[in-house]
Amino acid sequence: MPLRQNTAHIDTGKFPWIFFVALFCLIFFNPASQADSFRITLISSGKTDIYQQLVKGIMETVHAQVSQPVDFNTILMKGKPPQVDLKPQIHAADLVVTIGQQATHTTLSTKPKAPVLATLIPEYSYETLLETLKKRSPQHINSSAIFITPPPSAYILLAKILLGEKQRIGILASEASIGDAKKIKKIAQTLGIGLWLETANPSDNLIQKLTQTLDNSDALLALPDPFIFNRKTAKNILLTTYRHRAPVIAFSASYVKAGAMAAVHSSPALIARQTGETIAGIIQSSDKTLPAPMHAKYILVSINENVARSLGVTYSSIGQVQQELHRQMRSAP
Amino acid sequence: MNTSRHRFAFFTALFLAPVFSVTVLADTVQLPELPSFTDDDFLSGIPVVLTATRLAQPLSEAPAAMTVIDREMINASGARDVAHLFRLVPGFMVSQDNGHMPIVAYHGLTSEYVNRLQVLVDGRSVYSPLFGGADWSNLPLVLDDIERIEVIRGPNAASYGSNSFLSVINIITRHASETTGQFFRATRGSNGIKNGVYRFGDSTQNADYRLTLASHGDSGLVTRADDHRIHNLRGRADMQLSERDTLLLQTGISKGMREIDSMSLNAVEDRKILMQFEQVRWQHQIGANDALSVQFFHTLEDTDEVFDVTIQPPLGRIIRNASNRAERFDLEVQHTLQLSPQARLVWGGGLRQDSAQGPQIFNTNPATMQTGNNRKFYNKVFRSFANIETRLRTDLTLNTGAMLEKSTLAATALSPRIGANYFITPQQSVRLIYSQATRTPSLNEARSNYRIPVEGPPSFITTVWVGNPQLKVEKITSYELGYHANLNRQRTVLDIKAYHEHLRDLITVEGNSVSDPSDLLDRKHFVYDNLTDADITGLEIALDIRPTRHTRFVLSHSSNKIKSTNPNISSAKLAQSSPKHITSLLAIARLPGGFNSSISYYSVSKSNGLGSGDGVKRYKTANLRLAYPFTWGSARGEISWVYENLGGDYKNWRQDNTMTAQHYVSIFLYLD
């Protein structure tokens, strides 16, 4: 199956003319470039190994699942807004796939004509972006997304598996995660798990709110919420919860390394797989429409063994916890 | 999709881009700055916060039986002071020498001055330099500031130094970042119960701080003259100096009055007390596996108590001045090092200077009959310690440690400890612990000379007691077999401790009198000496069950058998110095209508304490608490009602201590 990869590295500020020439040549003179090939512009927010791995993974999955020719035009950004115009490449594609927040931000702000599939993006970032775009320019945006995070039910189910259903779970949520928090609260009710939901505004004293949450709960679910859990606040939150001897169930492996007891999350390779499969589905569908936004489907569990041991939380093995989580998610309410 | 149209557009754009790029970029929608949350927050690392050196050893691997009193238990107990919380700890007897002098004792063999327990508040020893033990009522400490209390039941000199003899109580107050905002509490009850708390806390960029102002008092026991009123002011600041450095600053002062009714003088006087402290602790994270802590603190205790009475002729006027002042300076350095994923070393050293003075307690000049002797007596202590925690296998942890201590008042002493914790299953472990500890004589026991002039005619000096410079350290060797189970995902925690304690050279004054014909009042005086030996065997059970989310039962039971000898005290009395059986139960439940309820039950078999203790019968008592949490605007609050001593009057420690029913209402408001 013909699968071609055109990769352009865009340097901020300097846009080499050679790039246009090369691109022009590839598009018009490459013998494999046929009119019926499906053109995908892949725009990545970064060029680090993680993003490159994702790009590679997406292409490999598409390659394995689609028989018709697919052209990939890959653009690796440097993680900040490019000073060049990506519009031509965006408009020339049948599908634009953006990896990460910055690429999605840049792409959607060009009012793309092609459908856009955003991947590896936090749900809140994606939704805020769409909302802003719709307010400014009410035209229809043809986009969808594969979020970096698992569905909200995964957090509460992991908490249930590790801590049991009799623990009282606390959530501290700002407007960014209140939607997920409410969904989790409903699921918790169905599962018979006690859940304390404390809301916070960005102007609130975070530790004070966290203390209130921990006074009413035995463990904390840290949901993806930029106002509450970010690199600035991580340290104080982890120290405070540990002082309360409350386990933290978080949303990324980094938090587990830093001191959260456990997390349920995806990985670049798994997001790549899901993105590749989704792209294949779009190509193979008759109307080439985008599916609805979705959460990470393939998920992993990380556990900080030392923290778990110190908090007296026992479990069989990470593998078994993960299996159990997958099983329960399939039958989740 | 219309691919040819797209290609055309792309082609056009490609060539026109340089010309129109300004226009095109201007055409793009300007988006607001997104919060600092990107895919990087998921993909890249956060610095490790809970490094191995910060993590506490789980109870199942600790080389000791340990009880944790958490905030839920503190609230539910209905206790108005810290001392009464120890009713929830297996083996602890909480009595009263009077309404404002709680006695917190473990394993008996003590007078009202309990000095075989080490007590720390945020790592600062509040063990009195003069008499030993903690003067619970005077501590500048407010219940609402306490995060939790960890009680290590067993000797732990290897970690906490000398005087960590029978048990170590570690009171941990809340981090300043957790108490920002304003907190008010008012308590009013029968028998003159009147307490108040005001706390203010705030945060700056790199520091959190709080100030707590509190006052507590009541009319004491109905059968005694023992009112008290003590005011506290306490401040704490937690500062983040850098990514790796934190600084804790604390200070506190308590000042007040405690009424003393002297049976021997048949008079009542006020004891004016002052206690203050300052504490600085710097913690530095050297690397991921390496942390340093340096702590310095100073405490001052000042008591002013003078009885000036005329006793019946022919004896005349007696001025008993029990005033005293004690001070402590302490410096400690501790280094925690993760040697490997399986081994952690904690080692360090410390210097301490204790001093005490008192015009009559240390009256060294009987010939001149002069009071007002302000000579200071010192005890300087150097200590070094090390403890290695090794996980030999996933199911076997070994703790090996020792403390070496050299002091002015006693010979150099080594206190080793070795403990092994073996996991039968991941949820159940057994522990075997061998430990030794010593207790250094207090300045009172070693250096006092409590002499009181009596103005005649004839004038003479009566001596209350005399310290003994020849005293040796008290020694304990303890053997413990324990079982710890953490079942049903921490909903059921069971801990059983079987122990044998071999105690030698316990310092006792009771009954050890020396004839003194010049003392026309008593014709004798008492001298401290290493006179008591004892062997204690016992069993302690702690069970914490949470059957549902809103119910909890904390049960403790202890039984012991004391075989003890002292030339002046009968073995029977010594054996009864600790109740044979103590049971406590705290039951917490949420009631319909948003009410919280709890009942704490305490049953103590008959006992006969040393010192001021009398033989008292078995008693059972209970406190009932009902609380209603509410929100009022942006404030959270709770109103609670506590009924103390349900089940009728009983005698506690002394025959003239009658505990009666009383109740109080407390309300708090918390504004963020």
Side-chain angles (χ1 to χ4, degrees):
Chain A
M1 192 201 78
L3 179 88
R4 289 166 294 275
Q5 179 188 357
N6 308 326
T7 304
H9 294 259
I10 293 184
D11 262 349
T12 316
K14 285 182 187 171
F15 190 70
W17 278 99
I18 193 101
F19 170 74
F20 288 112
V21 178
L23 206 64
F24 182 84
C25 295
L26 281 165
I27 292 166
F28 288 94
F29 302 111
N30 190 328
S33 179
Q34 293 164 12
D36 61 343
S37 68
F38 190 85
R39 288 159 309 166
I40 296 173
T41 297
L42 254 179
I43 307 176
S44 163
S45 296
K47 51 178 16 173
T48 56
D49 286 351
I50 289 172
Y51 290 101
Q52 306 231 19
Q53 188 194 340
L54 246 138
V55 169
K56 195 167 164 248
I58 291 172
M59 292 196 297
E60 279 172 6
T61 311
V62 174
H63 166 70
Q65 300 200 353
V66 177
S67 53
Q68 75 180 88
V70 179
D71 278 338
F72 276 101
N73 173 30
T74 306
I75 298 164
L76 304 176
M77 287 166 47
K78 261 189 166 177
K80 46 187 175 180
Q83 291 180 4
V84 296
D85 185 20
L86 299 175
K87 211 168 179 177
Q89 297 168 74
I90 293 167
H91 284 251
D94 296 318
L95 173 69
V96 182
V97 177
T98 58
I99 303 169
Q101 178 178 258
Q102 190 59 60
T104 312
H105 190 279
T106 307
T107 305
L108 290 182
S109 58
T110 62
K111 298 181 182 174
K113 292 194 173 64
V116 176
L117 177 67
T119 188
L120 198 79
I121 188 167
E123 186 177 3
Y124 177 70
S125 307
Y126 177 73
E127 280 171 0
T128 314
L129 185 58
L130 282 196
E131 219 169 90
T132 317
L133 284 168
K134 278 177 189 162
K135 266 188 210 157
R136 302 274 166 97
S137 155
Q139 74 183 70
H140 174 70
I141 300 162
N142 188 10
S143 72
S144 186
I146 295 168
F147 303 130
I148 196 166
T149 50
S153 61
Y155 303 103
I156 188 82
L157 288 171
L158 179 61
K160 183 186 154 204
I161 292 164
L162 287 172
L163 308 169
E165 59 273 5
K166 282 175 185 164
Q167 296 280 341
R168 293 168 304 176
I169 306 295
I171 294 181
L172 179 59
S174 79
E175 57 169 77
S177 61
I178 191 71
D180 278 353
K182 283 180 177 166
K183 278 179 211 161
I184 291 175
K185 194 169 184 178
K186 267 191 184 165
I187 300 168
Q189 273 167 359
T190 325
L191 296 170
I193 298 173
L195 193 131
W196 180 272
L197 175 56
E198 188 83 40
T199 51
N201 295 315
S203 58
D204 284 341
N205 181 322
L206 200 63
I207 297 302
Q208 190 59 56
K209 286 283 182 184
L210 181 66
T211 306
Q212 277 175 35
T213 313
L214 296 171
D215 281 347
N216 291 289
S217 49
D218 307 313
L220 182 77
L221 283 197
L223 301 180
D225 188 322
F227 298 116
I228 293 175
F229 302 101
N230 54 54
R231 265 186 256 181
K232 278 186 188 164
T233 59
K235 184 174 183 174
N236 278 337
I237 288 177
L238 290 172
L239 287 177
T240 306
T241 47
Y242 188 70
R243 273 197 294 272
H244 284 253
R245 297 291 182 263
V248 177
I249 309 273
F251 55 86
S252 82
S254 328
Y255 270 89
V256 173
K257 270 191 201 143
M261 187 193 73
V264 53
H265 55 91
S266 190
S267 75
L270 294 173
I271 289 278
R273 180 177 159 195
Q274 188 178 353
T275 309
E277 287 171 358
T278 308
I279 295 169
I282 295 168
I283 296 171
Q284 286 160 349
S285 67
S286 51
D287 53 359
K288 305 282 189 281
T289 51
L290 294 170
M294 63 189 97
H295 286 276
K297 182 165 77 171
Y298 304 111
I299 53 176
L300 298 169
V301 170
S302 294
I303 297 178
N304 186 323
E305 193 200 326
N306 289 334
V307 173
R309 192 158 57 90
S310 176
L311 294 173
V313 175
T314 52
Y315 55 94
S316 42
S317 73
I318 293 184
Q320 285 187 11
V321 170
Q322 199 164 291
Q323 266 183 13
E324 181 60 22
L325 179 64
H326 288 155
R327 194 189 66 74
Q328 294 201 14
M329 284 187 71
R330 281 193 294 274
S331 55
Chain B
M1 270 176 226
N2 187 340
T3 49
S4 60
R5 186 171 56 82
H6 280 232
R7 187 179 290 174
F8 175 71
F10 180 55
F11 177 69
T12 318
L14 198 76
F15 286 95
L16 297 181
V19 184
F20 292 107
S21 62
V22 177
T23 326
V24 171
L25 283 173
D27 189 37
T28 60
V29 181
Q30 293 302 307
L31 292 167
E33 208 37 45
L34 281 172
S36 56
F37 198 47
T38 67
D39 18 311
D40 269 4
D41 283 297
F42 296 85
L43 303 175
S44 60
I46 301 166
V48 178
V49 178
L50 298 182
T51 54
T53 52
R54 269 191 206 265
L55 292 175
Q57 202 172 33
L59 294 186
S60 55
E61 290 178 33
M66 193 156 117
T67 302
V68 177
I69 302 172
D70 58 30
R71 274 228 63 87
E72 185 180 39
M73 290 161 76
I74 295 172
N75 286 338
S77 71
R80 283 180 291 129
D81 58 48
V82 180
H84 280 81
L85 294 172
F86 300 107
R87 283 179 168 186
L88 303 170
V89 183
F92 273 74
M93 178 188 69
V94 181
S95 309
Q96 312 255 161
D97 187 43
N98 61 32
H100 52 67
M101 185 170 164
I103 302 168
V104 177
Y106 187 61
H107 295 179
L109 297 170
T110 184
S111 71
E112 65 276 27
Y113 298 100
V114 182
N115 50 19
R116 295 189 187 105
L117 302 181
Q118 178 61 275
V119 182
L120 306 158
V121 180
D122 295 322
R124 175 180 61 89
S125 169
V126 296
Y127 187 88
S128 163
L130 174 54
F131 293 113
D135 201 339
W136 293 102
S137 289
N138 292 5
L139 295 180
L141 185 64
V142 182
L143 271 181
D144 289 298
D145 284 346
I146 296 175
E147 172 68 45
R148 67 177 191 282
I149 301 174
E150 296 174 352
V151 183
I152 295 160
R153 292 178 283 121
N156 208 330
S159 299
Y160 294 96
S162 73
N163 311 329
S164 304
F165 196 73
L166 288 170
S167 172
V168 183
I169 292 171
N170 208 347
I171 299 168
I172 297 149
T173 66
R174 294 199 130 182
H175 192 271
S177 66
E178 297 178 34
T179 47
T180 52
Q182 294 191 81
F183 177 89
F184 304 85
R185 183 189 283 282
T187 304
R188 191 79 195 254
S190 62
N191 198 26
I193 297 170
K194 214 189 280 183
N195 298 347
V197 180
Y198 171 70
R199 181 173 72 206
F200 173 79
D202 206 356
S203 298
T204 62
Q205 179 83 24
N206 292 314
D208 305 288
Y209 65 91
R210 69 157 171 264
L211 269 178
T212 311
L213 187 65
S215 176
H216 61 90
D218 59 36
S219 308
L221 308 180
V222 289
T223 47
R224 301 283 301 274
D226 54 354
D227 291 12
H228 84 281
R229 168 65 48 200
I230 290 171
H231 312 289
N232 281 311
L233 177 66
R234 205 182 149 95
R236 172 172 176 148
D238 288 279
M239 301 162 79
Q240 188 77 43
L241 300 179
S242 76
E243 196 57 44
R244 289 162 177 265
D245 298 271
T246 57
L247 192 70
L248 165 74
L249 297 174
Q250 285 207 93
T251 182
I253 184 165
S254 59
K255 201 173 175 185
M257 175 284 290
R258 295 163 63 173
E259 198 179 32
I260 304 293
D261 51 351
S262 166
M263 297 299 141
S264 55
L265 298 176
N266 194 24
V268 175
E269 260 309 333
D270 283 352
R271 174 186 292 173
K272 294 182 195 75
I273 66 100
L274 170 83
M275 200 184 259
Q276 70 177 69
F277 77 94
E278 303 84 37
Q279 179 186 19
V280 185
R281 183 161 66 224
W282 170 58
Q283 283 175 297
H284 176 67
Q285 188 75 39
I286 302 167
N289 297 316
D290 207 1
L292 185 73
S293 157
V294 181
Q295 173 178 273
F296 173 78
F297 69 82
H298 164 247
T299 53
L300 173 72
E301 300 171 24
D302 195 291
T303 302
D304 188 358
E305 178 191 316
V306 181
F307 277 88
D308 184 350
V309 292
T310 302
I311 44 179
Q312 288 308 305
L315 296 175
R317 183 183 179 206
I318 184 165
I319 303 171
R320 190 178 85 180
N321 186 346
S323 302
N324 62 76
R325 187 180 167 92
E327 210 167 4
R328 166 170 297 155
F329 293 92
D330 188 291
L331 176 72
E332 186 180 89
V333 179
Q334 184 176 300
H335 183 211
T336 308
L337 184 63
Q338 191 76 27
L339 299 168
S340 73
Q342 287 76 37
R344 175 162 64 174
L345 168 72
V346 182
W347 68 289
L351 293 168
R352 172 177 293 177
Q353 178 186 287
D354 286 353
S355 65
Q357 61 196 114
Q360 289 184 355
I361 293 176
F362 292 102
N363 187 347
T364 51
N365 194 354
T368 61
M369 285 177 55
Q370 280 193 350
T371 59
N373 181 349
N374 269 326
R375 183 179 156 191
K376 269 190 185 177
F377 291 83
Y378 290 94
N379 183 25
K380 292 178 185 170
V381 184
F382 165 77
R383 63 188 184 277
S384 61
F385 55 90
N387 186 64
I388 296 188
E389 172 195 329
T390 323
R391 285 188 94 200
L392 294 176
R393 299 194 320 224
T394 49
D395 59 356
L396 185 62
T397 303
L398 200 66
N399 278 278
T400 319
M403 157 83 66
L404 183 73
E405 190 167 79
K406 194 173 162 24
S407 74
T408 319
L409 295 185
T412 302
L414 179 75
S415 309
R417 179 190 59 196
I418 182 157
N421 295 56
Y422 173 71
F423 283 81
I424 312 162
T425 71
Q427 289 79 29
Q428 296 176 77
S429 62
V430 287
R431 59 177 182 270
L432 205 56
I433 298 156
Y434 167 83
S435 62
Q436 284 184 7
T438 56
R439 185 180 78 83
T440 310
S442 66
L443 280 163
N444 172 57
E445 289 163 334
R447 296 284 190 267
S448 66
N449 198 338
Y450 194 176
R451 292 166 186 264
I452 305 169
V454 181
E455 288 174 16
S459 292
F460 64 97
I461 285 184
T462 178
T463 303
V464 187
W465 67 64
V466 176
N468 181 352
Q470 307 305 319
L471 286 177
K472 294 179 281 186
V473 293
E474 295 186 345
K475 291 190 273 296
I476 181 171
T477 304
S478 160
Y479 307 86
E480 177 180 330
L481 172 66
Y483 167 81
H484 187 89
N486 182 345
L487 307 166
N488 195 14
R489 297 181 188 281
Q490 304 193 72
R491 307 309 291 182
T492 305
V493 180
L494 171 67
D495 192 281
I496 300 172
K497 166 187 168 174
Y499 64 91
H500 179 76
E501 289 168 345
H502 186 72
L503 300 133
R504 289 296 174 268
D505 298 328
L506 302 184
I507 299 165
T508 322
V509 71
E510 188 168 340
N512 193 39
S513 61
V514 173
S515 164
D516 183 357
S518 69
D519 182 343
L520 301 181
L521 188 63
D522 295 324
R523 307 274 175 194
K524 64 181 176 187
H525 63 252
F526 293 91
V527 182
Y528 286 93
D529 211 342
N530 296 95
L531 292 172
T532 308
D533 289 340
D535 284 277
I536 309 178
T537 308
L539 186 74
E540 291 173 3
I541 301 167
L543 180 64
D544 188 346
I545 317 175
R546 299 167 201 235
T548 72
R549 282 197 301 280
H550 303 303
T551 48
R552 182 175 177 188
F553 298 98
V554 182
L555 176 75
S556 85
H557 177 78
S558 65
S559 296
N560 66 46
K561 195 175 173 190
I562 299 178
K563 274 190 189 170
S564 179
T565 55
N566 177 303
N568 309 309
I569 310 169
S570 76
S571 292
K573 187 178 180 192
L574 289 166
Q576 277 189 24
S577 64
S578 171
K580 267 199 165 40
H581 308 285
I582 307 175
T583 305
S584 78
L585 172 71
L586 173 67
I588 305 170
R590 183 175 290 182
L591 302 178
F595 284 91
N596 292 325
S597 71
S598 53
I599 187 155
S600 52
Y601 168 82
Y602 194 48
S603 157
V604 181
S605 63
K606 70 173 181 182
S607 67
N608 192 348
L610 305 182
S612 66
D614 296 323
V616 290
K617 283 195 297 194
R618 179 188 178 187
Y619 65 85
K620 290 180 249 178
T621 184
N623 293 354
L624 173 70
R625 180 176 189 269
L626 273 176
Y628 183 73
F630 61 86
T631 51
W632 184 38
S634 63
R636 288 183 301 126
E638 186 187 73
I639 181 160
S640 58
W641 173 74
V642 176
Y643 191 94
E644 290 180 354
N645 301 329
L646 282 167
D649 298 357
Y650 64 93
K651 302 283 182 198
N652 191 341
W653 188 257
R654 292 163 55 140
Q655 277 302 325
D656 55 350
N657 283 353
T658 304
M659 311 303 287
T660 52
Q662 52 191 24
H663 61 95
Y664 67 87
V665 174
S666 185
I667 183 164
F668 79 72
L669 266 185
Y670 199 166
L671 290 125
D672 299 341

